[in-house]
């Protein structure tokens, strides 16, 4: 039960100030006995107290001035709160308990961030509550609430478990961030009869396939536009906190350097991470040294050509096929770029320089 929400609703309905207070369960029980039952509230020192919820050894109460409510209003309010408590008990479910446990980890994360930690191990109490001792596949889902449907814990968890056909742990880190921890077996959930082909796949290939499949499903069937990052398998008990920081960095780098891409993997962003660490003045100086006529060199057609050329390992034939152009047309574009910049991207050293310059140019141009 949302204690503060209940207080606000009662205050709005009665039109009088309503306070929320705590006392021990033992003290509350004693007061109930002295008042002969607490359905219509417990009178004490000119105030009337109503029980909202019991949390551990604490009793959570609403307090209103005794003279501001009639006996009938007191009775109705008491019955209303009692009925709501009974409904909450009936609606309590395993998913509700899981969400409560996940919220504990979220609060722990916030605490570590406020302290500025970059490394921290989960307390054993949290690890045991969510059974985080086994190896897990971590994914971070970032949902833009402005353009997307707001995701709710129970529904999102049900959708994810249906997609993976496996139980998983879902932790809402913020209103926009959801941490997904799946068992290792989800890596091979699409193996089927293609075991021979699957055996040739690297771990990165498997993780990428998993991420792209999940991202497509989420965008099409649930949250709309979203970003997803996937990480190598981890032992949450030891490295969950550091992994989340890395996943957040991965999404930040992907959104910064690869506009239009919503699936992000850390092993594909190593150069972007290195470049991002450079001071802004150094970035500008590098571009000035490498490319004198930036706007001429990086027109839209040239940028698209170079991006595909680098993605396909500087393979001329494959790039021409990808762009649906003749091989000679591609060579003409590369020669033109060489004439304008003095850089031949068909050589390794120049290709590295232009790749870095392309990353920096896209960022500085937006600024």
């Amino acid at each position: 039960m949302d204690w503060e929400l209940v207080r606000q609703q009662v205050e709005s309905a009665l039109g009088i100030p309503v306070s929320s207070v705590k006392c021990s369960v033992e003290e509350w029980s004693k007061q109930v006995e002295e008042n002969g039952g607490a359905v219509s509230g417990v009178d004490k020192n000119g105030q009337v107290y109503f029980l909202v919820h019991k949390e551990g050894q604490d009793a959570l109460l609403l307090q209103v001035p005794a003279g501001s409510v009639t006996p009938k209003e007191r009775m109705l309010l008491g019955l209303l709160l009692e009925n709501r408590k009974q409904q909450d008990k009936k609606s309590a479910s395993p998913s509700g308990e899981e969400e409560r446990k996940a919220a504990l980890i979220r609060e722990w994360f916030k605490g570590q961030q406020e302290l500025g930690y970059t490394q921290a191990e989960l307390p054993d109490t949290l690890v045991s509550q969510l059974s985080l001792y086994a190896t897990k596949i971590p994914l971070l889902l970032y949902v833009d609430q402005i353009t997307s449907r707001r995701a709710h814990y129970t529904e999102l968890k049900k959708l994810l478990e249906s997609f993976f056909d496996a139980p998983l742990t879902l932790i809402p880190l913020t209103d926009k961030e959801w941490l997904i921890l799946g068992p290792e077996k989800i890596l091979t959930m699409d193996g089927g009869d293609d075991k021979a082909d699957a055996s040739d796949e690297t771990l990165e290939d498997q993780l990428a396939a998993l991420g792209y499949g999940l991202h497509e499903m989420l965008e099409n069937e649930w949250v709309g536009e979203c970003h997803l990052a996937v990480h190598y398998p981890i032992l949450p008990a030891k490295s969950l906190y550091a992994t989340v920081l890395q996943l957040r960095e991965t999404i930040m780098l992907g959104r910064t350097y690869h506009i239009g891409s919503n699936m992000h993997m850390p092993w594909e962003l190593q150069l972007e991470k290195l470049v991002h660490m450079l001071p802004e003045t150094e970035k500008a100086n590098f571009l000035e040294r490498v490319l004198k006529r930036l706007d001429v060199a990086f027109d839209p057609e040239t940028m698209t050509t170079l991006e595909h050329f680098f993605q396909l390992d500087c393979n001329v034939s494959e790039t021409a096929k990808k762009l649906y152009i003749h091989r000679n047309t591609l060579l003409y574009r590369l020669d033109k770029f060489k004439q304008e910049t003095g850089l031949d991207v068909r050589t390794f050293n120049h290709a590295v320089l232009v790749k870095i310059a392309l990353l920096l140019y896209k960022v500085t141009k937006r600024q």
Side-chain angles (χ1 to χ4, degrees):
M1 182 185 294
D2 189 328
W3 191 23
E4 177 59 22
L5 178 61
V6 173
R7 187 198 67 76
Q8 292 174 359
Q9 290 174 340
V10 172
E11 188 173 75
S12 175
L14 296 179
I16 59 173
V18 178
S19 304
S20 52
V21 295
K22 285 184 181 182
C23 72
S24 69
V25 173
E26 184 179 358
E27 182 182 353
W28 172 252
S29 299
K30 183 178 179 181
Q31 292 179 8
V32 170
E33 287 183 17
E34 292 175 354
N35 280 263
V39 173
S40 58
V42 170
D43 285 292
K44 187 177 181 182
N45 301 326
Q47 303 290 324
V48 183
Y49 298 89
F50 297 92
L51 177 65
V52 178
H53 182 57
K54 290 181 181 178
E55 192 173 272
Q57 297 301 313
D58 293 326
L60 313 181
L61 314 172
L62 292 184
Q63 170 188 299
V64 297
S68 61
V69 289
T70 65
K72 183 177 289 187
E73 287 173 333
R74 286 174 56 173
M75 178 64 73
L76 288 174
L77 180 56
L79 291 172
L80 178 66
L81 291 174
E82 186 64 28
N83 182 60
R84 181 159 184 168
K85 283 186 290 181
Q86 295 301 323
Q87 288 180 344
D88 285 344
K89 288 180 181 179
K90 291 179 181 179
S91 63
S93 64
S95 62
E97 180 64 13
E98 289 173 7
E99 186 173 4
R100 183 192 68 78
K101 292 176 181 178
L104 295 176
I105 292 186
R106 180 186 63 219
E107 294 306 313
W108 178 82
F109 263 94
K110 288 181 181 178
Q112 307 312 299
Q113 285 183 271
E114 290 170 0
L115 293 171
Y117 292 158
T118 56
Q119 298 282 342
E121 288 190 16
L122 276 173
D124 288 340
T125 52
L126 295 181
V127 175
S128 60
Q129 285 197 54
L130 284 172
S131 302
L132 298 179
Y133 292 106
T135 300
K136 302 289 185 182
I137 308 299
L139 303 103
L140 185 64
L141 171 65
Y142 180 89
V143 182
D144 187 348
Q145 302 293 358
I146 297 175
T147 59
S148 303
R149 173 183 176 182
R150 184 176 179 83
H152 294 282
Y153 183 92
T154 304
E155 295 170 330
L156 182 56
K157 189 170 187 293
K158 183 178 179 180
L159 178 68
L160 292 170
E161 290 185 334
S162 174
F163 175 78
F164 288 123
D165 192 23
L168 52 80
T169 301
L170 180 64
I171 302 172
L173 295 174
T174 68
D175 288 341
K176 296 184 177 182
E177 287 182 315
W178 298 80
L179 177 62
I180 304 163
L181 298 173
E184 281 188 289
K185 71 176 185 178
I186 65 175
L187 283 177
T188 56
M189 65 177 187
D190 292 325
D193 298 327
D194 301 325
K195 292 183 179 179
D197 295 336
S199 64
D200 295 332
E201 286 187 330
T202 65
L203 176 59
E204 287 81 2
D205 291 335
Q206 291 178 314
L207 290 169
L210 175 73
Y212 278 113
L214 175 59
H215 181 266
E216 182 181 6
M217 183 276 290
L218 289 171
E219 282 209 338
N220 292 337
E221 297 189 24
W222 187 246
V223 294
E225 184 176 352
C226 61
H227 289 264
L228 189 69
V230 62
H231 195 280
Y232 291 108
I234 64 165
L235 286 173
K238 297 293 182 182
S239 58
L240 185 62
Y241 181 73
T243 298
V244 169
L245 297 185
Q246 292 170 20
L247 285 167
R248 285 175 171 171
E249 180 185 56
T250 298
I251 289 181
M252 180 275 294
L253 290 172
R255 297 182 72 187
T256 302
Y257 292 97
H258 298 284
I259 300 298
S261 176
N262 291 44
M263 181 64 219
H264 313 290
M265 292 158 284
W267 54 88
E268 291 189 350
L269 296 166
Q270 301 287 5
L271 183 58
E272 288 81 352
K273 181 176 181 179
L274 183 63
V275 167
H276 194 73
M277 294 169 65
L278 294 174
E280 295 304 316
T281 54
E282 288 297 322
K283 294 176 183 177
N285 290 338
F286 178 86
L287 283 174
E288 266 187 51
R289 291 194 305 270
V290 175
L291 297 170
K292 301 297 183 183
R293 301 167 62 205
L294 296 181
D295 291 320
V296 175
F298 281 155
D299 61 86
E301 182 183 81
T302 302
M303 289 182 70
T304 300
T305 300
L306 291 173
E307 285 176 345
H308 282 86
F309 187 63
F310 293 139
Q311 286 173 4
L312 295 168
D313 297 326
C314 301
N315 186 301
V316 173
S317 298
E318 291 300 321
T319 304
K321 290 179 183 178
K322 184 74 173 180
L323 293 172
Y324 300 103
I325 60 176
H326 194 276
R327 188 174 188 275
N328 290 342
T329 303
L330 174 60
L331 291 174
Y332 169 77
R333 292 182 186 178
L334 298 181
D335 286 336
K336 181 183 175 184
F337 182 79
K338 179 182 177 181
Q339 291 171 5
E340 292 173 345
T341 65
L343 297 169
D344 185 354
V345 293
R346 285 166 289 187
T347 66
F348 176 77
N349 287 339
H350 286 184
V352 171
L353 289 175
V354 175
K355 170 67 175 178
I356 296 173
L358 186 59
L359 289 174
L360 291 176
Y361 180 76
K362 288 190 292 185
V363 176
T364 56
K365 188 69 174 177
R366 291 200 302 272
Q367 295 173 346

